[in-house]
Amino acid sequence: MRYASVVVDIPTRGLDRAFDYAVPDALAAHVEVGATVLVPFSGRAVVGYVVSLAQEPPAGVPAEKILPIKQVLASSAFDAAGARVALWMAEEYACPLATALHPFLAPGQRTRVVRSDTGDWTLVNEKAGPVDDRWVRLSTGASAFTPRKNATKQREVLTALAAGPVRMAELGAMLPGAAASVRALAKRGVVAVEVRRRVRGGETTTLSSARAARPHALTAGQRAALAAIDQAREAACGDVVLVDGVTGSGKTEVYLDAIEHTRAKGKSALVLVPEISLTAQTVGRFRSRFGDDVAVLHSRLSTGERYDQWDLARRGEAHVVVGARSALFAPVPDLGLIVIDEEHEGTYKQDTAPRYHAREVAAHMARERGCALVLGSATPSLESLERCREGAFGGAHWTRVRMPERPGTSVLPTVRIVDMTKQPKSQQAVFSVPLTAAIEGVVRRREKAVLLLNRRGFASFLMCQDCGCVPECPHCSTALTYHERTHELVCHSCGRRWPGYLTSCPSCGSRYIGAYGIGTQRVEDELGMLLAGLGPAGEGVEVIRMDADTTARKNAHQELLERFDAADCAILLGTQMIAKGLDFPEVTLVGVINADTTLKLPDFRAAERTYDLLEQVAGRAGRGVRPGEVIIQSYWAGHPAVACVATHDRDAFAASELAARSEAGYPPYSRLSNVLVWGKDERAVRACTDRIADGLRAAVGRGWEVVGPADCVKARVKDRFRRHVLVKSPVGSNPGPLIAACVQAAAPPRGVSVSVDVDAQDLM
Ligand code: ADP
Ligand code: ZN
Ligand code: ZN
């Protein structure tokens, strides 16, 4: 008899351990680590996950007291190392064990079960699972067969199949009632029906840059990076290599070669890319090197597509998995290498439980699996830079390799900062004089330009010129955004809308209330006017707008980029989503319309994020033969986050920023956890937050600091009051268990929710 340790999926904090069950002989072949099973628990049948197996019953428990597993619901989704990573996540991020296991499960798998008439239980899956297509084809020797005279349908079926096999579903759609004829014909051996597994989610693109050819020679920086990665992989103990390479320095090329070396040793590789830059272009470059050995996982795929791509990895048919954050948990056998591109991106932090950071989980996973971790960025996070400076973190070596140059003759673009406070105030134009001139130059030379409109932060809200009042949503304390086309004020926290434009200030009554900040539509309109002023040359320019509205449709993102790629002379106008990863060699101008809206956000990372965004978008210019120019319009031209971009001097920016962080005791010099409390009853929320803060203050040791409680910046969302407490703890401390215990001791009442966010990225 074997025994299984099972984590039951009942998310209660008090229940946080695995329970032991016996494996009945009948199920022995199917109960593996990572399997989803049905077990008896407190007199009910509940779903659980097998995290380990043993030959002996657990010590101190008589074997006959141990209940048997009832049924296996799904085959293995993770191995023993994966289970250990999940147990670590549960502790590190203060979440229930079952929650930490969820990211490992097959796409679409739910935790609910239903019972059939026969008494068997099945998991409720979200339209996933494999799809099998039935194909019909003519058998050899079918030509010898002649249908009876009145068997018209059979004759039609045979005619349809003459050109080759047809999917049963299509045949049925073409010739209603074909199924009966196919059955009759199959009985006589005239046609054959075969089941073919269909793999969903393989995309293709016409983008020229997606087929990037292998370069003739690597740069010195690329060779150094590859050598460091090979060494880390050979060491097989979770060592980390930070590839700190300027935009266009050939980081992707390094990943491709490092994966090739990994494959040559018979190992697999996992590549994480921010969702937003997981475009057809990126995927295309991996496919063009590794072909069908690539599985792709991201949220724009349907559940079925994700399942099939995930299963390709599990069955060992694809050895290179490219995907967004959650692809980290894909069941890749024999992992040799994990790559995280744009490692500084905030999107690597998940904002629902388990609130993990992919970089941290990957570092832990690399140690568990004995593989190498590669972090790549043109703007590495201050956390990673600090660990490389130390040379080690969490028992692994951290090495930084710099790639300061672009290959060949391509050079970093020249950057010019335009101080908007010194521009003529008269017409309140979107485009400054230098940016207007530069756009005209691009049109004259028939080149391409990218214009970034920084939309995060306080863009296109209304502001009173007399008292500075900004109208807010009465339910969410969020600045309302004005939408010009629909003439509505919209709250982006709760989605409420108010028709019309305010004609006077709600606070002081002044009539000088107007739109501050600009929307993409307004920029598009002004750009149209600018181009019209250029006569026939301006008419031939393709303007492509890329924002949340124009990319809502599936594949819209890719289609817009393909249009930009194919155009002769074009301007791509967009929000943050155009800043990353695009590689169009014909782009010679990048314009940033409003650099500093994100600088005003109340978050200690605001400056770092603004610098990253500007440096990244600047890197879209001059990637080809022709040199590039960047023009940044700013109201805070002297701020280091803006000024350092002009010299591409990340070190200067990091030095000024690290000094400020050290002074205030912020990461990377501490760990910062955010305990968020929310609910409709303000008094209950306040009381609960106070209890948590008091408990924390009593529990923490030296070097720890408890900040708050305070209202969140978004003090109300959807009529819920939001308060929070911040916990700063030393680097290397383990705040999760302590905070979890304090939250539990504070016993949040019904109607009050609490979330614990360790290493929080979002403090709003
Ligand atoms: P990054 O990921 O650092 O932004 P990419 O890997 O996209 O840079 O490389 C930028 C461009 O330079 C691509 O078009 C790529 O094909 C090309 N490239 C990369 N390495 C080399 C090299 N060693 N020699 C010539 N061209 C290269
Ligand atoms: Zn006012
Ligand atoms: Zn609201």
Side-chain angles (χ1 to χ4, degrees):
M1 181 74 96
R2 286 198 303 164
Y3 300 87
S5 187
V6 175
V7 170
V8 295
D9 203 337
I10 313 174
T12 329
R13 281 183 205 276
L15 236 167
D16 234 14
R17 61 182 189 86
F19 294 86
D20 295 300
Y21 289 91
V23 180
D25 290 338
L27 297 181
H30 304 288
V31 176
E32 308 160 273
V33 169
T36 303
V37 293
L38 191 73
V39 292
F41 190 84
S42 299
R44 324 186 261 147
V46 302
V47 172
Y49 314 106
V50 178
V51 289
S52 65
L53 289 169
Q55 299 297 331
E56 302 295 322
V61 188
E64 65 277 9
K65 279 272 164 68
I66 300 179
L67 299 173
I69 289 175
K70 282 174 178 285
Q71 196 183 317
V72 176
L73 296 168
S75 52
S76 175
F78 52 86
D79 61 3
R84 286 196 298 275
V85 170
L87 301 191
W88 173 84
M89 282 168 67
E91 179 176 309
E92 183 77 6
Y93 296 107
C95 73
L97 281 173
T99 308
L101 285 165
H102 285 166
F104 289 86
L105 302 178
Q109 180 173 328
R110 291 286 165 271
T111 56
R112 233 157 43 79
V113 278
V114 287
R115 192 168 200 167
S116 72
D117 300 339
T118 57
D120 273 353
W121 295 81
T122 47
L123 280 169
V124 178
N125 282 332
E126 184 196 297
K127 281 198 286 185
V131 278
D132 289 324
D133 277 339
R134 292 188 306 140
W135 289 71
V136 190
R137 63 170 174 82
L138 293 178
S139 308
T140 40
S143 49
F145 173 81
T146 335
R148 281 204 319 269
K149 239 199 169 100
N150 56 351
T152 335
K153 187 72 22 106
Q154 287 191 5
R155 205 169 300 120
E156 284 172 347
V157 167
L158 292 174
T159 313
L161 293 178
V166 177
R167 196 174 280 150
M168 189 61 228
E170 274 165 37
L171 200 61
M174 252 169 6
L175 307 167
S181 310
V182 168
R183 267 197 306 276
L185 290 168
K187 236 187 208 152
R188 294 165 184 233
V190 182
V191 301
V193 179
E194 54 194 35
V195 174
R196 293 189 199 165
R197 174 72 187 275
R198 176 152 53 110
V199 175
R200 297 155 290 186
E203 350 168 24
T204 50
T205 173
T206 63
L207 282 175
S208 53
S209 50
R211 296 183 302 273
R214 185 193 293 272
H216 293 298
L218 296 181
T219 65
Q222 287 174 321
R223 285 198 305 273
L226 263 179
I229 296 167
D230 283 343
Q231 195 187 340
R233 203 195 55 247
E234 295 291 320
C237 58
D239 285 350
V240 182
V241 177
L242 173 65
V243 180
D244 179 358
V246 298
T247 51
S249 58
K251 294 184 290 298
T252 311
E253 200 59 47
V254 170
Y255 309 152
L256 291 169
D257 287 6
I259 293 167
E260 218 161 46
H261 294 188
T262 308
R263 291 293 303 124
K265 299 276 177 191
K267 300 236 169 186
S268 313
L270 238 170
V271 184
L272 301 192
V273 183
E275 184 77 53
I276 203 164
S277 52
L278 194 53
T279 55
Q281 192 172 18
T282 314
V283 173
R285 287 181 72 179
F286 284 89
R287 281 213 202 283
S288 75
R289 187 69 70 88
F290 303 107
D292 287 342
D293 206 18
V294 177
V296 179
L297 285 164
H298 59 78
S299 67
R300 290 187 307 280
L301 297 176
S302 70
T303 311
E305 289 171 332
R306 267 184 293 137
Y307 180 88
D308 284 1
Q309 297 291 311
W310 181 89
D311 205 34
L312 280 178
R314 178 167 68 168
R315 287 182 288 146
E317 288 176 26
H319 299 90
V320 180
V321 174
V322 182
R325 185 181 61 221
S326 62
L328 183 57
F329 304 98
V332 185
D334 279 326
L335 195 60
L337 184 69
I338 306 176
V339 176
I340 303 188
D341 188 31
E342 311 288 4
E343 65 91 24
H344 63 280
E345 274 286 313
T347 53
Y348 284 123
K349 186 75 159 62
Q350 171 145 308
D351 59 5
T352 55
R355 293 181 168 76
Y356 65 90
H357 197 300
R359 185 209 303 130
E360 307 307 316
V361 177
H364 189 80
M365 198 180 267
R367 289 201 297 282
E368 281 287 354
R369 296 195 181 280
C371 64
L373 170 62
V374 173
L375 304 174
S377 177
T379 56
S381 64
L382 296 176
E383 283 84 351
S384 296
L385 287 176
E386 185 58 18
R387 290 174 190 180
C388 289
R389 204 187 53 73
E390 295 262 332
F393 180 81
H397 291 101
W398 283 61
T399 314
R400 176 186 184 186
V401 182
R402 292 181 193 237
M403 304 204 306
E405 271 148 23
R406 289 182 169 181
T409 52
S410 160
V411 289
L412 282 175
T414 53
V415 179
R416 177 157 166 206
I417 314 265
V418 178
D419 185 342
M420 292 301 275
T421 63
K422 303 216 171 80
Q423 284 289 304
K425 289 263 176 317
S426 53
Q427 72 271 45
Q428 273 222 331
V430 167
F431 300 107
S432 62
V433 176
L435 186 52
T436 306
I439 293 173
E440 288 172 3
V442 164
V443 172
R444 235 182 306 109
R445 297 189 303 272
R446 312 302 294 166
E447 293 169 352
K448 288 179 188 173
V450 169
L451 296 179
L452 171 77
L453 182 70
N454 194 352
R455 286 280 288 173
R456 233 189 268 132
F458 302 113
S460 67
F461 57 94
L462 296 183
M463 188 171 82
C464 170
Q465 316 271 301
D466 281 332
C467 76
C469 160
V470 173
E472 291 185 344
C473 171
H475 307 275
C476 301
S477 72
T478 303
L480 294 174
T481 331
Y482 181 61
H483 286 225
E484 291 147 70
R485 292 273 158 88
T486 52
H487 295 294
E488 278 177 319
L489 287 166
V490 179
C491 169
H492 285 282
S493 283
C494 71
R496 285 188 174 81
R497 294 162 180 274
W498 288 264
Y501 189 78
L502 286 176
T503 49
S504 64
C505 170
S507 169
C508 75
S510 162
R511 284 188 301 114
Y512 292 96
I513 184 159
Y516 175 93
I518 10 180
T520 20
Q521 291 157 354
R522 160 106 186 271
V523 181
E524 195 182 15
D525 293 347
E526 293 223 0
L527 184 60
M529 288 190 283
L530 192 160
L531 293 175
L534 298 179
E539 278 163 29
V541 180
E542 177 138 29
V543 175
I544 295 158
R545 192 181 114 204
M546 224 162 114
D547 58 21
D549 293 339
T550 64
T551 55
R553 228 170 15 84
K554 193 180 170 179
N555 296 335
H557 193 260
Q558 180 183 334
E559 284 161 22
L560 290 173
L561 289 181
E562 284 171 355
R563 255 178 63 200
F564 185 61
D565 189 46
D568 151 49
C569 171
I571 297 176
L572 178 64
L573 163 66
T575 53
Q576 266 78 350
M577 67 175 71
I578 64 167
K580 316 264 158 57
L582 302 185
D583 185 12
F584 294 105
E586 318 87 50
V587 172
T588 52
L589 171 70
V590 165
V592 179
I593 290 159
N594 51 347
D596 27 35
T597 49
T598 39
L599 266 180
K600 294 173 189 162
L601 293 178
D603 184 320
F604 75 95
R605 286 195 179 88
E608 185 182 2
R609 293 201 182 116
T610 303
Y611 177 90
D612 291 354
L613 175 67
L614 296 179
E615 187 62 50
Q616 295 281 352
V617 74
R620 301 309 116 211
R623 295 171 77 90
V625 192
R626 279 171 283 185
E629 180 186 19
V630 180
I631 294 182
I632 298 176
Q633 304 186 151
S634 168
Y635 285 92
W636 274 8
H639 193 289
V642 180
C644 291
V645 177
T647 46
H648 303 289
D649 195 346
R650 172 124 190 119
D651 288 344
F653 169 72
S656 91
E657 185 63 20
L658 284 171
R661 300 272 184 96
S662 169
E663 179 126 329
Y666 276 122
Y669 300 108
S670 70
R671 298 189 76 177
L672 186 72
S673 307
N674 186 17
V675 185
L676 179 69
V677 184
W678 73 98
K680 285 196 168 169
D681 180 347
E682 186 176 2
R683 277 180 51 199
V685 168
R686 280 184 173 276
C688 181
T689 320
D690 290 346
R691 283 199 302 280
I692 292 173
D694 291 345
L696 282 167
R697 286 212 162 80
V700 300
R702 271 187 46 162
W704 292 53
E705 191 189 341
V706 180
V707 185
D711 284 344
C712 299
V713 174
K714 293 182 195 157
R716 269 180 94 180
V717 171
K718 296 182 189 162
D719 285 323
R720 269 130 187 115
F721 294 90
R722 302 170 82 242
R723 282 176 70 76
H724 65 158
V725 185
L726 297 178
V727 180
K728 286 183 193 170
S729 60
V731 175
S733 65
N734 188 11
L738 185 142
I739 298 175
C742 289
V743 169
Q744 208 186 339
R750 273 183 87 96
V752 175
S753 309
V754 180
S755 73
V756 178
D757 190 1
V758 176
D759 298 334
Q761 286 278 330
D762 178 6
L763 303 173
M764 309 268 276

